[in-house]
Amino acid sequence: MRPLQEIILKNKLTIRFGLIFFCIALVTFSSEAQIKRPGQLRPVDGSRSDQNQNPEKRKSDTLGFEKRDDLADSITISYRYLDSITSSKLDSSINDYGKVFTVPTGYETLGNNGTAAFPILFNPVLSSGWDAGFHAFDIYKYSVENTRFYQTTRPYTLLGYLLASEKEQVVGVLHTQNIKPNWNAGINYRLISAPGTFQTQNTNHNNYRFFSNYQGKRKRYAAYLVLLGNQIASSENGGIRDDNSLSDPTLKRRLAVPVNLSDNAELGNQVYATKIVTGNKQKEFTVFFRQSYDIGKKDSIIINDSTTDYLFYPKLRFQHSIKYESFSNTFRDPMTERGVTSQDSLFYKNNYGVALNTFRPINFQLQDEWKIISNDFVIKQFPQTKNLGQYIEAGARLENYTAKFNSYLNAPNLYQVFPAPPRYKSFVNVVLHGEYRNKTKNKKWDALLKGDFYAAGENLADFNAQAMLTRFLNKKLGDIQVSFQNVNRTPSYIFNGNSSFDMDTTSLTKKENLTVLTFQANNPRFSLMVRNISIANYAYFKDFYHSEQYSGLINLSQITASTANKIVGHLNLYSDFTIQQTAGNTPVNVPLFYTRQRLAFEGNFYKNLNLSTGLDISYNTPYKANNYSPIMGSFFPQDSFTIRNLPRLNAFFNFRIKSFKGFIAAENLNTVTFTNGFGFLNNNFVAPHYPTPGFLFRFGVQWGFVN
């Protein structure tokens, strides 16, 4: 590496760690004044102190130490999501690392933490209105919807760190505290840096979020604020050229396996390799602010002579939310920097119909940029006093969109030396929405009716209608729920002819219609979900860049079940099962059967040691898994390649000591082979020409601090 590049890399590393240590220092400083310090000096005004009055205490204080009181570190902390009517406690369980890992359980990536991912259980886009269409990296993003608003009696900090094979690292920081009893604020930060096992597969994601919620002293006024950003950067290699190369004894070092894009990149992986030469970049910035004011019945409780706790039971609420979003998605292949090879030219020509000039390479780039401002006005009425779980809501939302489309390529089969001029688009949407919710005081019934309708604008006649009914039986049997959802939506904008990514220059105009019927049963021992999804006019990519709408009706049935069973003593078995099937030949390809089994030795030992260790096995039946288009950043159906994998075998050792959690995993033990010598080279596949890594070792920690 050249000296200048080394300097830049070191500076980036210093900046990132500097940010992390700044957050830790800020947490320490903010709580310093709340910590009782031993051995205090005599007051300078000469007044008698407690030390003078108590000789024994003065004697112990001269040692400079004070016995720690564990109760002083106790904390009451809860959180809830925006628009949720129930609060939740922090999860202290350690038996499933998938709950804290950046790739949730049930998702598959292209082989590296941070690369494009898809769920095993098919889940379509169930939202009406405008949608950009880029969802392959959603699991790595912060959003307003997944923001937690906390209430805590003491400042709380959670630090997380993950180190894995191939120099993969994840850093996470959470700090939240109540500035006042009625005002909480906090910050999130996360860094994902993973060079990857195969060439040109490095990822680097940065997420940050500031959140705050406030309630007035009289409990009439409330406010919520969220400020967040996501920077997603993922290199794309187009998959490996030849699947047989994995069994080549000269290519045991997987970085040497030839790939379809950027194959002439420098071999090797670096810690915090932030430079994405060829790949996808997404940048998002969001500011959300909500205010509400209630009219209703006031009350109060006198705690003592100087303290009064004010109560308020709203009957009518006026609410306004404003949201600003900026979003950009870019695919870039800077061939002026790395040069274009015959392999690159062949990949673009065969898959995208683009003829590249190998003698005068340019920067091949597609980019969509969006800016969105929405104002939402709501009136909410509470029919029953002292029951905030029952309300009727009516509202209207005005959405303003502006877009800019940049590309260095206007149409297929055309090579341009100069970039095409940018194109612009602006439009508005007017949305009417309403909701009825009734969670009864006895907590046994919970009913929901909710709907959005696009009354005017670009997405005219889009709608989203939902209904849900839940019945709580008892603590042993849990609850059962039935739900219905019908969505009429304009196809995502990636299928619109204006988008830089619609390379076949056609627009899909028929609205998709999705109907979902669901039954669920949940209790401490097992959970069951039966769901049926029907889709008309399904929009999808039929190959690497051609868009299509399916003329028939797609009908998909799904059954999932999870159980937790004690086998003997400290030995427990956690089982997950999924069955899903489509009727007929449709563009939705899913495995018929998927299962995950965790055999764990668990228990509490030596008073404070909580332990969970064992084996984690997952398997799905062979199926024609979706292929992946690097430029579109999207998966698409194919019918020529069947994925047949061995069961995936991982070993794990998880433990918790008070607020400290440790996670150790040995993954992909199933890839072991003795052909051409010992090694973990029998790779599985997640998509055509996208193998999973061999053996991976992960070590992670989470440490919660009460300040």
Side-chain angles (χ1 to χ4, degrees):
M1 182 179 288
R2 295 190 298 273
L4 180 59
Q5 291 176 313
E6 291 178 351
I7 293 173
I8 295 174
L9 181 61
K10 291 178 180 178
N11 288 339
K12 290 181 178 179
L13 184 62
T14 302
I15 292 170
R16 285 189 172 88
F17 276 109
L19 178 60
I20 295 169
F21 285 116
F22 172 76
C23 293
I24 297 173
L26 180 63
V27 170
T28 304
F29 177 78
S30 65
S31 60
E32 192 173 274
Q34 304 176 39
I35 300 175
K36 183 178 180 181
R37 298 186 180 276
Q40 289 181 323
L41 296 177
R42 182 175 178 176
V44 295
D45 60 359
S47 61
R48 291 172 58 87
S49 68
D50 182 64
Q51 295 177 0
N52 295 331
Q53 298 174 5
N54 192 335
E56 291 298 323
K57 187 176 190 304
R58 183 176 68 249
K59 181 178 179 180
S60 63
D61 282 351
T62 57
L63 297 176
F65 296 96
E66 183 178 89
K67 184 177 179 180
R68 186 179 184 87
D69 181 7
D70 289 339
L71 294 178
D73 288 338
S74 63
I75 184 174
T76 300
I77 182 170
S78 62
Y79 67 88
R80 69 182 185 89
Y81 298 100
L82 192 70
D83 295 324
S84 173
I85 60 175
T86 59
S87 297
S88 302
K89 302 294 185 181
L90 295 180
D91 186 2
S92 61
S93 64
I94 57 173
N95 58 15
D96 189 358
Y97 183 61
K99 293 181 179 179
V100 296
F101 187 47
T102 51
V103 180
T105 300
Y107 275 80
E108 295 283 357
T109 71
L110 291 180
N112 188 28
N113 184 13
T115 55
F118 64 92
I120 290 292
L121 185 71
F122 177 75
N123 193 24
V125 177
L126 291 173
S127 61
S128 55
W130 175 87
D131 173 64
F134 305 96
H135 296 289
F137 301 94
D138 284 357
I139 63 173
Y140 309 110
K141 297 178 181 178
Y142 288 159
S143 68
V144 174
E145 290 72 23
N146 64 27
T147 298
R148 295 178 174 183
F149 295 95
Y150 290 87
Q151 282 295 319
T152 176
T153 55
R154 296 175 66 90
Y156 177 76
T157 304
L158 181 65
L159 302 178
Y161 181 73
L162 168 71
L163 179 65
S165 304
E166 309 299 339
K167 302 178 182 178
E168 174 187 336
Q169 300 193 57
V170 179
V171 177
V173 178
L174 163 67
H175 176 72
T176 181
Q177 68 180 79
N178 271 50
I179 302 171
K180 292 183 178 181
N182 57 337
W183 182 14
N184 178 275
I187 56 172
N188 278 132
Y189 174 75
R190 184 175 63 193
L191 165 69
I192 303 174
S193 177
T197 300
F198 292 88
Q199 191 179 167
T200 320
Q201 205 179 41
N202 57 301
T203 60
N204 190 271
H205 305 333
N206 285 271
N207 315 93
Y208 64 88
R209 173 167 52 196
F210 171 81
F211 55 91
S212 181
N213 61 288
Y214 171 82
Q215 187 177 49
K217 184 177 180 180
R218 303 285 180 172
K219 299 186 178 180
R220 290 173 176 256
Y221 176 80
Y224 296 87
L225 173 66
V226 180
L227 187 151
L228 64 86
N230 299 298
Q231 295 185 11
I232 304 296
S234 177
S235 288
E236 302 286 0
N237 61 17
I240 61 176
R241 290 190 206 169
D242 185 1
D243 295 347
N244 295 323
S245 62
L246 296 176
S247 58
D248 188 336
T250 65
L251 297 177
K252 289 185 177 181
R253 185 170 179 257
R254 292 315 196 193
L255 281 173
V257 174
V259 295
N260 286 311
L261 285 176
S262 300
D263 191 48
N264 60 339
E266 180 183 354
L267 293 180
N269 51 14
Q270 301 293 332
V271 180
Y272 300 110
T274 59
K275 185 176 182 180
I276 305 299
V277 178
T278 298
N280 281 289
K281 292 185 178 182
Q282 294 182 7
K283 292 184 179 181
E284 297 181 2
F285 176 73
T286 301
V287 178
F288 174 85
F289 183 57
R290 171 178 290 179
Q291 299 181 87
S292 64
Y293 187 82
D294 295 345
I295 298 175
K297 180 180 179 181
K298 61 182 179 179
D299 199 353
S300 62
I301 298 177
I302 299 176
I303 307 299
N304 51 47
D305 292 340
S306 60
T307 305
T308 301
D309 186 17
Y310 294 98
L311 302 177
F312 192 81
Y313 305 107
K315 300 296 291 183
L316 195 64
R317 175 173 296 170
F318 299 93
Q319 177 179 290
H320 171 249
S321 303
I322 184 170
K323 187 177 183 181
Y324 169 79
E325 300 173 88
S326 66
F327 169 82
S328 71
N329 187 88
T330 305
F331 175 84
R332 186 170 183 264
D333 191 348
M335 287 171 267
T336 52
E337 296 180 19
R338 66 176 183 83
V340 59
T341 67
S342 58
Q343 181 61 35
D344 292 325
S345 180
L346 186 64
F347 182 81
Y348 282 112
K349 183 177 181 180
N350 290 343
N351 296 315
Y352 296 97
V354 176
L356 296 179
N357 187 332
T358 58
F359 299 101
R360 297 181 62 189
I362 63 169
N363 290 333
F364 176 64
Q365 177 173 302
L366 302 176
Q367 183 182 63
D368 282 5
E369 295 180 321
W370 290 87
K371 289 181 173 58
I372 309 160
I373 299 177
S374 65
N375 281 274
D376 189 40
F377 300 88
V378 170
I379 298 177
K380 185 179 292 189
Q381 197 262 335
F382 299 88
Q384 192 174 31
T385 305
K386 299 184 180 181
N387 183 14
L388 296 181
Q390 183 183 19
Y391 57 82
I392 302 172
E393 175 184 300
R397 183 170 66 249
L398 177 64
E399 302 173 342
N400 294 271
Y401 296 81
T402 58
K404 179 182 178 182
F405 310 108
N406 295 291
S407 66
Y408 286 88
L409 192 65
N410 275 348
N413 304 310
L414 177 65
Y415 174 79
Q416 289 187 215
V417 176
F418 300 102
R423 289 163 289 121
Y424 299 89
K425 173 76 174 181
S426 62
F427 59 87
V428 298
N429 280 323
V430 177
V431 188
L432 305 178
H433 59 90
E435 180 177 344
Y436 170 73
R437 185 72 181 267
N438 186 8
K439 187 169 186 177
T440 57
K441 283 186 177 181
N442 59 13
K443 311 292 184 183
K444 289 186 176 181
W445 291 95
D446 191 357
L448 170 69
L449 292 173
K450 186 178 181 180
D452 296 341
F453 179 73
Y454 283 73
E458 183 80 3
N459 300 107
L460 175 65
D462 279 18
F463 63 80
N464 185 349
Q466 301 178 56
M468 179 269 293
L469 182 64
T470 304
R471 176 65 162 91
F472 176 75
L473 302 176
N474 53 51
K475 291 184 178 180
K476 184 177 180 180
L477 297 178
D479 56 62
I480 57 175
Q481 181 184 102
V482 292
S483 61
F484 165 85
Q485 185 172 7
N486 182 242
V487 179
N488 202 57
R489 65 188 303 272
T490 304
S492 299
Y493 214 85
I494 194 174
F495 300 116
N496 191 291
N498 288 325
S499 173
S500 300
F501 292 85
D502 190 13
M503 295 178 62
D504 63 358
T505 66
T506 61
S507 293
L508 303 183
T509 57
K510 295 181 180 178
K511 292 186 181 295
E512 294 180 282
N513 190 273
L514 304 91
T515 302
V516 182
L517 295 170
T518 308
F519 169 81
Q520 295 184 75
N522 298 283
N523 62 53
R525 290 292 302 276
F526 75 90
S527 65
L528 173 68
M529 184 190 75
V530 180
R531 183 166 69 168
N532 183 266
I533 303 173
S534 299
I535 309 176
N537 299 323
Y538 178 62
Y540 66 101
F541 286 108
K542 64 180 180 180
D543 54 28
F544 281 83
Y545 73 99
H546 286 103
S547 57
E548 184 65 270
Q549 279 193 288
Y550 185 66
S551 58
L553 180 67
I554 298 174
N555 196 64
L556 174 66
S557 299
Q558 299 173 326
I559 301 175
T560 67
S562 300
T563 64
N565 298 288
K566 178 182 284 294
I567 298 178
V568 60
H570 293 284
L571 199 61
N572 298 309
L573 178 64
Y574 301 92
S575 301
D576 300 313
F577 304 94
T578 297
I579 298 174
Q580 51 185 346
Q581 187 174 26
T582 58
N585 185 19
T586 71
V588 175
N589 296 331
V590 292
L592 174 64
F593 177 73
Y594 167 83
T595 184
R596 181 187 181 209
Q597 305 290 326
R598 285 175 291 143
L599 184 64
F601 178 83
E602 297 178 319
N604 181 271
F605 306 96
Y606 304 106
K607 186 180 178 180
N608 290 321
L609 174 63
N610 290 273
L611 179 67
S612 179
T613 181
L615 297 176
D616 187 334
I617 305 171
S618 59
Y619 171 75
N620 62 262
T621 52
Y623 77 112
K624 290 180 170 58
N626 287 342
N627 206 339
Y628 178 71
S629 174
I631 292 181
M632 304 302 157
S634 302
F635 293 89
F636 64 91
Q638 55 85 32
D639 58 5
S640 58
F641 192 98
T642 300
I643 299 291
R644 303 178 185 274
N645 288 331
L646 293 174
R648 181 178 298 175
L649 176 61
N650 303 330
F652 63 90
F653 182 88
N654 304 335
F655 64 93
R656 177 169 60 85
I657 302 175
K658 292 188 176 180
S659 62
F660 179 87
K661 294 181 181 180
F663 305 92
I664 300 174
E667 299 183 1
N668 300 328
L669 298 175
N670 53 284
T671 61
V672 65
T673 178
F674 295 94
T675 305
N676 299 318
F678 175 80
F680 293 91
L681 304 173
N682 188 21
N683 305 73
N684 282 347
F685 282 80
V686 292
H689 315 304
Y690 283 93
T692 63
F695 175 77
L696 287 177
F697 178 80
R698 296 188 193 276
F699 171 74
V701 296
Q702 273 194 347
W703 201 346
F705 297 89
V706 179
N707 300 318

